[in-house]
Amino acid sequence: MDTEIKSLEYLLREINHKMNLVTKNYLNSKNITMSRFWVLNKLHSDEAITMKQLQSQFNQFFGF
């Protein structure tokens, strides 16, 4: 069972890594940085957000 869990964890990390590469390549092809993408994604949600809230969340996400 332990080996199966480790195998599953490895596969999930590999999938995550590949998805990150595909996303990064796509964003690069559109000249969009991860920071811009993050902001666009936050603004796309249905709930209203102020600039102060956006900045606070941005700083928390990127560790500023």
Side-chain angles (χ1 to χ4, degrees), residues 1-2 11-12 14 22 29 41 43 47 58:
M1 176 100 169
D2 191 44
L11 289 173
L12 290 173
E14 284 293 308
V22 168
S29 73
N41 194 39
L43 293 176
E47 60 187 64
F58 181 86

Side-chain angles (χ1 to χ4, degrees), residues 22-46:
V22 168
T23 301
K24 185 177 178 182
N25 287 335
Y26 176 78
L27 293 176
N28 284 339
S29 73
K30 301 294 182 185
N31 291 322
I32 300 174
T33 63
M34 271 308 280
S35 301
R36 287 180 181 169
F37 176 71
W38 185 88
V39 170
L40 289 171
N41 194 39
K42 281 291 180 182
L43 293 176
H44 185 266
S45 68
D46 291 335

Side-chain angles (χ1 to χ4, degrees), residues 6 8-18 20:
K6 287 183 180 182
L8 179 59
E9 289 175 343
Y10 175 79
L11 289 173
L12 290 173
R13 281 193 297 274
E14 284 293 308
I15 291 168
N16 183 52
H17 177 71
K18 290 181 189 290
N20 286 339

